[in-house]
């Protein structure tokens, strides 16, 4: 289940886990799994037609296709963005692999961005997100 309209609380939850006190102007979508908050997608650094996303998770199994579709519809359909940017620690291989599975492409290395070291930026263009934005096909009914 996705949670909308609780931007302040969701961004605080995500920020507490990443050590970010202020995202600046932002929106957030929460993901509830088994009755608990499993993940939050924080959208920040919005400069049309581009926005940045930060995923923060508490459950490795949060990203069902339906959930990813719901999250990616916000920047690409609702805001009309052409690109989505994600930045992660260079050593964070699970997140880097996850971004690639979503269709993000590695775009650059940024030395000494984090206290822990380098960052890697990824971009997802609207046309590369098309598989997530397509409407779900209706269920076939038995005749």
């Amino acid at each position: 289940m996705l949670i909308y309209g609780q931007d302040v609380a969701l961004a605080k939850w995500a920020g507490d886990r990443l050590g970010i006190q202020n995202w600046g102007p932002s929106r957030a979508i929460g993901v509830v799994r088994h009755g608990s908050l499993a993940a939050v997608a924080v959208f920040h650094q919005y400069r049309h037609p581009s926005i940045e996303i930060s995923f923060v998770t508490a459950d490795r199994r949060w990203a069902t296709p339906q959930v990813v579709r719901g999250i990616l519809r916000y920047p690409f359909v609702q805001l009309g963005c052409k690109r989505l940017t994600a930045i992660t620690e260079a050593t964070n291989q699970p997140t880097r692999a996850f971004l690639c599975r979503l269709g993000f492409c590695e775009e650059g290395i940024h030395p000494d961005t984090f206290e822990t070291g380098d960052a890697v930026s990824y971009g997802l263009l609207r046309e590369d997100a098309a598989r997530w934005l397509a409407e779900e096909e209706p269920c076939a009914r038995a005749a």
Side-chain angles (χ1 to χ4, degrees), residues 13 21-22 27 33 37 39 61-62 68 83 89 95-96 101 103 116 127 138:
W13 183 91
Q21 293 182 5
N22 184 358
R27 294 285 186 250
R33 182 173 159 82
L37 192 57
R61 303 177 72 82
W62 68 272
V68 171
R83 70 168 285 122
E89 292 178 338
T95 296
R96 294 177 68 181
R101 286 192 303 275
T116 56
E127 58 264 23

Side-chain angles (χ1 to χ4, degrees), residues 21-45:
Q21 293 182 5
N22 184 358
W23 294 94
S26 62
R27 294 285 186 250
I29 299 174
V31 180
V32 173
R33 182 173 159 82
H34 304 300
S36 297
L37 192 57
V40 171
V42 180
F43 294 92
H44 52 102
Q45 302 297 329

Side-chain angles (χ1 to χ4, degrees), residues 83-104:
R83 70 168 285 122
L84 186 56
T85 301
I87 299 172
T88 190
E89 292 178 338
T91 58
N92 189 343
Q93 292 303 323
T95 296
R96 294 177 68 181
F98 170 71
L99 292 171
C100 289
R101 286 192 303 275
L102 292 184
F104 282 79

Side-chain angles (χ1 to χ4, degrees), residues 1-67:
M1 174 173 71
L2 296 177
I3 300 173
Y4 301 94
Q6 299 296 318
D7 302 312
V8 173
L10 293 170
K12 181 178 181 342
W13 183 91
D16 287 348
R17 281 150 184 79
L18 293 180
I20 297 172
Q21 293 182 5
N22 184 358
W23 294 94
S26 62
R27 294 285 186 250
I29 299 174
V31 180
V32 173
R33 182 173 159 82
H34 304 300
S36 297
L37 192 57
V40 171
V42 180
F43 294 92
H44 52 102
Q45 302 297 329
Y46 178 47
R47 290 175 303 281
H48 190 77
S50 177
I51 195 167
E52 187 173 332
I53 188 169
S54 293
F55 292 106
V56 183
T57 65
D59 181 338
R60 296 182 59 161
R61 303 177 72 82
W62 68 272
T64 66
Q66 183 179 16
V67 164

